[in-house]
Amino acid sequence: MDNVEARLVRRLVAIFAADVAGYSRLMGTDEEGTLRLLTERRRDMDDLIRHYDGRIANSAGDSVIAEFPSVVAAVESAIAIQRVHGEANAGLANDHQIAFRIGIHVGDVLVKNGDLFGDGVNVAARLQQLAEPGGIAVSAR
Amino acid sequence: MDNVEARLVRRLVAIFAADVAGYSRLMGTDEEGTLRLLTERRRDMDDLIRHYDGRIANSAGDSVIAEFPSVVAAVESAIAIQRVHGEANAGLANDHQIAFRIGIHVGDVLVKNGDLFGDGVNVAARLQQLAEPGGIAVSAR
C-alpha cells in the first residue's frame, strides 16, 4: 500500500481503531511509567499490525488507526496483539496494566495523504469504545 | 436454562440483541407486508436461536434479546440467521428487504423472571446499532 496518496481515493478496507482503557487515569497516576510501558506496547502492536499486512494511518498519544486488506487479517492481528499485551500485563498490578480496546469495522474509507476519513472510521472508533479492556469488538456483514 | 427465575440471578452469558434496520420506514411503506415478512423471519430466527442453545428473553416488535451459553454459539447462530435471511431477501426489491442488525456481547447479566438486565444488555444493544443491516457486531475479550 502507498504511504502517500495526494489524490482522494475511496477503498473498502478493514478499519482498526485502538486506544488504552483508562489512559488519563494511568497518566495521572504515573506519567513516566505509563509512557515507558506504552512505548513498549506500541512497538509490539506496530510490529503485529505490519506482520498482518496492516498499515498505520494515524496515531496520537494512546490511539492508533490502521487499515487492513481484509477483516480476517485485522482480527488475527488484533488477537495476536491482545495476547502479547495480556502476557506483558500478567506481572503488573491491576492499576498499572496497559490494556488496549480494539474496534474493527469493514467499510469504505477515503484516503488522502495516507490519512483515513469517512463514516467507517467513526464506526470503528465507536466499536472500540464498546470493546472490553484487552478485548476486541468487530462489525462485519 | 430455566424460563422462570423468581429470584435475582447473576450470570455470565453471550447477550444477543437484534432489530430490523429501517423498521419504521418499512412499516410506513407497507405495514401488512412488513408484518407478514417479519413473522416469517422471526420464525427462522427463533428456530436458529434455539438450535444453538439460545433462549429468547425479551422480544417486542422488531427487537429480540436472547442469551447464549457461549460467544461461539451466539456467533454461529447469528451467522446462520443472517444467511437464511439473506437468501429470503434475495428475491425482494431493496426497499422491501427485512435486514436484521445483530449485536453480541459477552458480559454479566442479572436475570429475574426470565428477563435480562444490566450493562451487558446495553452494550449488546449499542453494538447492534453499529452493525450493518444483514451484519453482526461482536465484542469479546
Side-chain angles (χ1 to χ4, degrees):
Chain A
M1 259 173 230
D2 294 333
N3 251 321
V4 176
E5 292 171 287
R7 68 199 197 290
L8 197 62
V9 176
R10 178 184 293 274
R11 62 176 173 238
L12 180 69
V13 296
I15 307 148
F16 168 112
D19 80 356
V20 173
Y23 183 62
S24 306
R25 181 188 52 73
L26 287 161
M27 289 291 278
T29 309
D30 177 6
E31 198 173 50
E32 266 189 51
T34 300
L35 284 178
R36 186 173 46 74
L37 283 180
L38 181 60
T39 304
E40 290 174 13
R41 302 302 161 84
R42 276 297 308 278
R43 198 166 46 219
D44 291 335
M45 177 180 275
D46 295 10
D47 284 351
L48 286 166
I49 288 173
R50 277 191 296 266
H51 179 75
Y52 288 92
D53 297 326
R55 183 185 72 83
I56 294 175
N58 311 85
S59 71
D62 65 320
S63 78
V64 175
I65 303 285
E67 60 169 324
F68 288 81
S70 79
V71 67
V72 173
V75 169
E76 286 181 346
S77 171
I79 290 172
I81 289 164
Q82 296 295 33
R83 185 169 297 145
V84 166
H85 284 179
E87 288 163 7
N89 275 332
L92 294 174
N94 273 354
D95 60 349
H96 280 74
Q97 296 187 354
I98 308 270
F100 278 87
R101 303 177 298 179
I102 300 178
I104 295 167
H105 175 67
V106 179
D108 270 344
V109 290
L110 296 167
V111 190
K112 186 162 190 177
N113 295 328
D115 279 350
L116 303 185
F117 304 94
D119 276 356
V121 179
N122 302 331
V123 173
R126 292 207 305 262
L127 283 165
Q128 166 231 289
Q129 288 162 17
L130 290 175
E132 308 257 347
I136 306 168
V138 185
S139 173
R141 290 204 74 149
Chain B
M1 257 174 233
D2 292 334
N3 251 322
V4 176
E5 290 172 289
R7 70 202 195 289
L8 196 62
V9 177
R10 179 185 293 272
R11 63 177 175 238
L12 181 69
V13 296
I15 308 147
F16 168 112
D19 80 355
V20 173
Y23 183 63
S24 306
R25 181 187 53 73
L26 286 161
M27 288 291 277
T29 309
D30 177 5
E31 197 172 53
E32 266 188 52
T34 300
L35 284 177
R36 185 174 48 74
L37 283 179
L38 181 60
T39 304
E40 291 174 13
R41 303 301 162 85
R42 275 298 306 279
R43 196 166 46 218
D44 291 334
M45 176 180 276
D46 295 9
D47 285 350
L48 285 166
I49 288 173
R50 277 191 295 268
H51 179 76
Y52 288 92
D53 298 326
R55 182 186 73 84
I56 294 175
N58 311 84
S59 70
D62 65 321
S63 79
V64 175
I65 302 284
E67 59 170 325
F68 288 81
S70 80
V71 66
V72 172
V75 169
E76 286 181 345
S77 171
I79 290 172
I81 289 165
Q82 296 293 33
R83 187 169 295 145
V84 166
H85 284 179
E87 288 163 6
N89 275 331
L92 295 173
N94 274 352
D95 59 349
H96 281 73
Q97 296 188 353
I98 308 270
F100 278 86
R101 301 177 299 178
I102 301 178
I104 295 167
H105 175 67
V106 178
D108 270 344
V109 290
L110 297 167
V111 190
K112 186 162 190 177
N113 295 328
D115 278 350
L116 303 185
F117 304 93
D119 276 355
V121 179
N122 302 332
V123 174
R126 292 209 304 267
L127 282 166
Q128 166 230 289
Q129 288 163 18
L130 290 175
E132 307 256 347
I136 306 167
V138 185
S139 173
R141 291 203 73 147

